[in-house]
Amino acid sequence: MARRRLRSGTVVLGGMGVLAATLTSCGSEPDERCVDPVTYEVLPDYECDDDGGSGRHYYGGSISNGKASGGSYDKSAVKTGGFGSSGSSGG
């Protein structure tokens, strides 16, 4: 039986894939967006500033047709990071 040797390029590419998967799985912060608290429409970030904007920070969830859903106004209520986590919570 002849032993097969891997080319160094194959090893490097495999290592890069593992590194990329590790970095993307370690997210510690949920997505944050500014939304209208009544209609859940996504607003520009400046609407959530302390200067009297009408929006509130909304964490996690998803956007569909310009409206946020599946997240929470409570940042600590949103699960984050790791493989298999949903990244959202009711709110």
Side-chain angles (χ1 to χ4, degrees):
M1 285 176 111
R3 226 173 130 180
R4 188 174 170 198
R5 297 184 77 187
L6 292 176
R7 293 182 181 173
S8 61
T10 304
V11 174
V12 170
L13 290 176
M16 293 297 280
V18 170
L19 177 63
T22 301
L23 292 174
T24 58
S25 69
C26 294
S28 61
E29 294 292 318
D31 289 339
E32 177 183 274
R33 53 189 54 95
C34 185
V35 301
D36 182 296
V38 176
T39 65
Y40 288 87
E41 287 185 55
V42 178
L43 301 173
D45 288 337
Y46 65 82
E47 288 290 339
C48 284
D49 289 344
D50 293 331
D51 298 334
S54 62
R56 288 184 60 195
H57 289 288
Y58 189 81
Y59 303 95
S62 61
I63 303 294
S64 179
N65 296 323
K67 292 189 177 189
S69 66
S72 176
Y73 290 111
D74 180 6
K75 186 176 185 178
S76 65
V78 180
K79 294 180 182 179
T80 60
F83 289 113
S85 68
S86 65
S88 64
S89 176

